[in-house]
Amino acid sequence: MPGKQKCGGKAPAPSKERKISHKDTEDYKNRRDRNNTAVKKSREKSREKARETTEKVTKLRQENKELEHKVDALSQELDMLKEFVLAHAETGGPPVANPEAVIKDHG
């Protein structure tokens, strides 16, 4: 197959006539300025979102600690009430008319 040219390879170099610098045009400068402004705005928005997320994580961690303490306190109170009920049942005592008052006396 003589006479056939190979496909692929490098594209021919652009001629010097086609090589025009668009970097000096006013339109190019305006587009670059708008792009730079958009990039700054996007990055600031991203930083603000990261700050908000960090604050929310901190707040939720503190709330979680408080809830864990509350769970511990309620678990201790439940254990005490169970012991109280078992002790009362073992002694065969009469039903308690005002359990809140008894709990406050023993708590």
Side-chain angles (χ1 to χ4, degrees), residues 20-32:
I20 299 172
S21 176
H22 295 287
K23 292 184 178 183
D24 294 330
T25 66
E26 196 64 32
D27 183 50
Y28 176 81
K29 290 177 183 176
N30 288 336
R31 282 187 283 132
R32 292 302 311 145

Side-chain angles (χ1 to χ4, degrees), residues 35-47:
N35 180 261
N36 288 341
T37 301
V39 166
K40 286 178 187 177
K41 184 178 177 181
S42 175
R43 288 178 181 159
E44 181 56 38
K45 187 176 178 181
S46 177
R47 281 190 287 270

Side-chain angles (χ1 to χ4, degrees), residues 25-87:
T25 66
E26 196 64 32
D27 183 50
Y28 176 81
K29 290 177 183 176
N30 288 336
R31 282 187 283 132
R32 292 302 311 145
D33 287 342
R34 284 195 311 267
N35 180 261
N36 288 341
T37 301
V39 166
K40 286 178 187 177
K41 184 178 177 181
S42 175
R43 288 178 181 159
E44 181 56 38
K45 187 176 178 181
S46 177
R47 281 190 287 270
E48 181 62 28
K49 188 172 181 178
R51 274 192 293 270
E52 289 173 359
T53 300
T54 301
E55 289 173 8
K56 187 172 183 177
V57 166
T58 301
K59 180 182 174 185
L60 290 171
R61 283 185 176 156
Q62 180 60 37
E63 185 179 335
N64 193 41
K65 282 183 183 180
E66 291 169 5
L67 290 171
E68 286 175 352
H69 290 304
K70 188 172 184 176
V71 166
D72 289 342
L74 290 171
S75 293
Q76 290 175 2
E77 182 178 351
L78 179 61
D79 290 342
M80 181 199 65
L81 291 172
K82 284 180 182 179
E83 289 176 20
F84 175 74
V85 169
L86 289 175

